[in-house]
Amino acid sequence: MELSVYLKRCAKDVDAALDRYLPKAATKPATIHRAMRYSLFAGGKRMRPVLALAAAEACGGDFSTALPAACAVECVHTYSLVHDDLPCMDDDDLRRGRPTSHKVFGEGIAVLAGDALLTQAFEILAQAKPVARYPVAAMIRELAVAAGSLKLIAGQVADLEGEGKKATRTQLRFIHECKTAAMIEVSLRLGAMSANATPAKVQALTAFGHNLGLAFQVIDDILDVTQTSEKLGKSAGKDLAAEKTTYPSVIGLEASKKEARRLTDAALAALKSFGAKGATLRAVADYLLVREF
Ligand code: GRG
């Protein structure tokens, strides 16, 4: 199947499942449910769910058993974007082509919508089908660790504390590993676990996700300086304006492109043992390298 068709199919299935999992917009208190849905159905690329679903298929599983994991990672990701956009964090007005949550609903509801999406993620994942190798509790723990104070939050703390200071390449890599790669890794791991994958397969997908996640953030940094806000659906040029340390600011644009290629190649190498079954994941990695938003 052509990748564009596959991506659309994943997004359609994930959106339909998220619609079933989330309280309806009119459910009281309606403001919070409207706010949760506003950010979740704003047209994100759904890359983390795609990776979860493709990992499940690469390990012999199917979409239906991987959907709770795919929806859960998207809920955590969307929460992190809602909170990251708040005035006390990155202070942004535009996300996924729309005004940010706090611009529409106010800061209080935006904080609560993020909290509710994070909590919703675990409620959804708790409904995953148990498989022989991985109890649901193990999957829940995976997501909790990736979203917790040692990974996603640690990345945000390092980012906040680094504002206005020049970060070293090691510090920059730490931020990328925690803030971006951890959620990409866990998306792949949960997809594989939902398919009862062998520990060796889960390990290979972890290495794939680590390198792909780092490449994803290097590309995100490149797009911030090469694309428009309209194309990105979020404010372009923010890193430069905030004097953030990014790959382009440390090693330059051309070297950053080479680094993204190198990391993508390392990701692809980790898929060797999957043979033909890794074709979709390989296609996704190639696509992410040339994406324009
Ligand atoms: C816990 C408050 C808090 C923040 C966590 C994830 C995060 C830190 C902040 C979000 C901003 C940011 C630059 C994150 C890095 C990961 C990244 C590139 C996110 C954007 O992901 P895409 O491009 O977005 O997949 P869509 O909208 O397509 O889902």
Side-chain angles (χ1 to χ4, degrees):
M1 192 189 299
E2 205 182 305
L3 186 68
S4 61
V5 177
Y6 186 83
L7 296 179
K8 280 200 191 102
R9 188 184 141 213
C10 289
K12 189 165 162 274
D13 285 9
V14 167
D15 285 5
L18 283 169
D19 187 45
R20 286 195 300 274
Y21 283 129
L22 257 75
K24 296 288 168 232
T27 305
K28 285 183 184 163
T31 322
I32 192 69
H33 298 125
R34 276 200 298 118
M36 289 163 78
R37 285 172 169 268
Y38 174 82
S39 295
L40 203 51
F41 296 111
K45 290 185 291 295
R46 304 285 193 241
M47 285 323 304
R48 293 150 192 83
V50 164
L51 291 169
L53 297 174
E57 285 192 323
C59 296
D62 58 37
F63 268 31
S64 64
T65 35
L67 269 174
C71 291
V73 293
E74 185 62 27
C75 286
V76 173
H77 170 59
T78 304
Y79 126 78
S80 77
L81 300 181
V82 171
H83 279 195
D84 187 61
D85 291 333
L86 288 168
C88 61
M89 299 270 175
D90 244 12
D91 192 9
D92 221 318
D93 296 352
L94 186 68
R95 174 69 69 178
R96 293 179 163 173
R98 294 179 171 191
T100 44
S101 182
H102 64 273
K103 286 281 162 194
V104 177
F105 298 96
E107 270 183 62
I109 293 295
V111 169
L112 292 171
D115 293 342
L117 284 167
L118 177 61
T119 314
Q120 182 77 60
F122 290 96
E123 188 187 333
I124 294 172
L125 192 53
Q127 295 170 60
K129 209 171 122 207
V131 292
R133 286 193 181 94
Y134 309 105
V136 174
M139 296 174 75
I140 290 175
R141 184 166 185 268
E142 286 274 334
L143 187 59
V145 171
S149 62
L150 296 176
K151 293 289 177 181
L152 183 61
I153 303 281
Q156 187 74 350
V157 170
D159 213 6
L160 270 181
E161 292 183 343
E163 262 175 29
K165 297 180 199 148
K166 234 21 266 99
T168 63
R169 214 171 144 164
T170 312
Q171 287 165 331
L172 186 60
R173 190 173 168 106
F174 174 80
I175 292 173
H176 288 190
E177 276 171 349
C178 293
K179 208 171 80 168
T180 312
M183 282 303 298
I184 288 182
E185 267 174 61
V186 82
S187 303
L188 290 149
R189 286 177 63 88
L190 289 177
M193 289 164 87
S194 77
N196 199 33
T198 61
K201 289 274 186 261
V202 175
Q203 204 44 49
L205 287 171
T206 307
F208 171 70
H210 187 73
N211 287 293
L212 186 75
L214 292 174
F216 190 89
Q217 186 59 56
V218 175
I219 296 155
D220 196 76
D221 287 356
I222 294 170
L223 295 177
D224 183 72
V225 288
T226 57
Q227 292 291 351
T228 61
S229 300
E230 289 69 39
K231 186 92 184 175
L232 295 179
K234 59 181 180 179
S235 309
K238 269 220 93 178
D239 297 339
L240 210 61
E243 291 181 6
K244 274 201 177 178
T245 308
T246 62
Y247 266 83
S249 76
V250 175
I251 60 174
L253 201 54
E254 283 316 306
S256 299
K257 287 180 186 168
K258 282 198 185 123
E259 179 65 0
R261 174 80 260 175
R262 188 191 68 76
L263 288 162
T264 302
D265 287 342
L268 292 172
L271 289 181
K272 203 162 172 250
S273 66
F274 285 87
K277 283 196 169 250
T280 305
L281 289 169
R282 283 188 200 97
V284 172
D286 287 336
Y287 159 73
L288 289 178
L289 186 63
V290 297
R291 72 190 169 104
E292 293 179 346
F293 58 91

